[in-house]
Amino acid sequence: MCGQEAEQYSRRTILNVATAALAVGAAVALPGTAGASQGRQRVPLDKISIQLYSLRSLLQNDPEGTLSALADIGYRKVELAGTYGRSATEFRAILDKVHLKASSTHVGIDGDLNQTIADAKILGNSSVVVPFAQFATIAEWEAFAGRMNSAAAAFKKARLKLGYHNHDHEFHPIDGVLPYDVLTAKTNKRDVHLEIDLFWAVNGGADPVELFRRNYPRVTQYHVKDRTADGQMTDPGTGVINFPRIFAASCHNIGEYIVEHDQPTDPLNTAKVGFEYLRTVRF
């Protein structure tokens, strides 16, 4: 199990393993090999989660039934993206009833932070994550990084960790500079962690193993969503992203592997496929 292996890693070993990774193309496996077993390590069940944005079409009308179905699949944790018309207290009651923990929530930082913090505490979150930011200039990205630092300080006082979730545009240069590099350089390394969306990182031309290496130990959450050879989003384990390679290089530091699909045709099937993939994959 990866958690048992973690104690054997030194910082030097971590960096040496990651440095040996190939460039961006190594993030993609040959067709039919992306989900192949490659070792004896596995994802612990208590680190498997799902982003509820994947099930938003069901949650609006039937939150209890949908969350109960996730628990039946085997999930113990979820990551929130809103509470679907319910208050934080109401949504927490449903989570408790079906025995799920909302370990993380996607939030904004430009509104009422006191209310955001209060809701996160009610929901039982240990971390909150900014899900999206996009700016036209590097100066705006730098200013955003400053706001992240200020927000992170407020969350830290409340014993909450603040993170950032990427899409692909952060890996497209503006005047020769990558916004993601600005964000990681200008935010407090101790207070702002990184939730790497593996689909969007690969889609943007980045190598997740290299991102992990360069930002160690800030990468603590993965969004596990897959990609077909022609760039379409697909259920975890059914595409070409080389998850075993990524997990093997980083599992000692990852606290959550979060299943996601932005536009699933059958959300509960995606949830099941994703859970079973993470439960059975070896690396």
Side-chain angles (χ1 to χ4, degrees):
M1 181 185 299
C2 186
Q4 296 172 333
E5 301 259 333
E7 296 178 359
Q8 302 174 20
Y9 280 84
S10 67
R11 182 174 176 83
R12 178 176 296 176
T13 301
I14 293 163
L15 295 177
N16 287 344
V17 169
T19 301
L22 299 176
V24 174
V28 176
L30 294 173
T33 67
S37 296
Q38 299 186 9
R40 298 174 62 184
Q41 299 181 91
R42 65 177 177 84
V43 177
L45 289 177
D46 63 359
K47 291 188 176 184
I48 299 175
S49 182
I50 186 167
Q51 169 51 252
L52 294 187
Y53 182 76
S54 304
L55 299 110
R56 61 196 181 279
S57 61
L58 305 178
L59 283 161
Q60 192 68 45
N61 294 324
D62 186 13
E64 183 173 334
T66 304
L67 293 172
S68 180
L70 292 178
D72 289 343
I73 289 170
Y75 286 99
R76 303 175 185 178
K77 294 181 178 179
V78 296
E79 181 179 56
L80 305 186
T83 53
Y84 307 94
R86 279 72 178 176
S87 67
T89 300
E90 290 169 336
F91 205 84
R92 173 63 185 270
I94 299 172
L95 289 168
D96 289 346
K97 185 174 182 179
V98 301
H99 306 293
L100 287 175
K101 175 179 174 57
S103 54
S104 184
T105 293
H106 279 188
V107 303
I109 59 168
D110 293 324
D112 185 346
L113 282 187
N114 290 330
Q115 186 62 56
T116 300
I117 289 169
D119 287 346
K121 300 294 274 187
I122 291 169
L123 290 165
N125 299 154
S126 56
S127 65
V128 293
V129 180
V130 174
F132 182 86
Q134 188 168 21
F135 305 101
T137 67
I138 292 300
E140 289 174 296
W141 277 104
E142 291 175 339
F144 171 68
R147 297 197 301 276
M148 285 284 290
N149 285 331
S150 297
F155 286 117
K156 187 175 183 179
K157 288 181 181 179
R159 299 179 180 245
L160 291 165
K161 297 174 289 184
L162 177 65
Y164 181 79
H165 165 275
N166 64 277
H167 287 77
D168 58 358
H169 59 267
E170 293 93 339
F171 304 103
H172 300 159
I174 299 174
D175 296 330
V177 179
L178 294 183
Y180 201 76
D181 289 346
V182 173
L183 185 67
T184 55
K186 298 292 185 179
T187 52
N188 187 307
K189 294 175 173 58
R190 291 186 177 183
D191 295 343
V192 178
H193 72 272
L194 302 173
E195 178 179 79
I196 294 183
D197 187 303
L198 298 174
F199 170 90
W200 288 118
V202 172
N203 211 55
D207 176 5
V209 171
E210 175 62 15
L211 287 180
F212 176 85
R213 183 194 70 82
R214 284 194 286 112
N215 294 289
Y216 180 82
R218 301 176 71 181
V219 182
T220 59
Q221 294 171 297
Y222 280 150
H223 269 198
V224 184
K225 62 174 75 163
D226 215 338
R227 184 179 188 274
T228 64
D230 63 353
Q232 300 302 306
M233 197 175 293
T234 188
D235 292 344
T238 65
V240 298
I241 292 182
N242 194 341
F243 293 121
R245 169 184 171 267
I246 296 167
F247 296 169
S250 58
C251 64
H252 50 281
N253 203 64
I254 302 300
E256 284 188 298
Y257 299 75
I258 305 168
V259 172
E260 189 180 33
H261 191 311
D262 292 357
Q263 299 289 341
T265 55
D266 184 342
L268 282 175
N269 185 65
T270 289
K272 183 175 181 180
V273 169
F275 182 86
E276 287 302 311
Y277 176 72
L278 289 178
R279 186 182 68 82
T280 59
V281 67
R282 298 294 182 264
F283 45 90

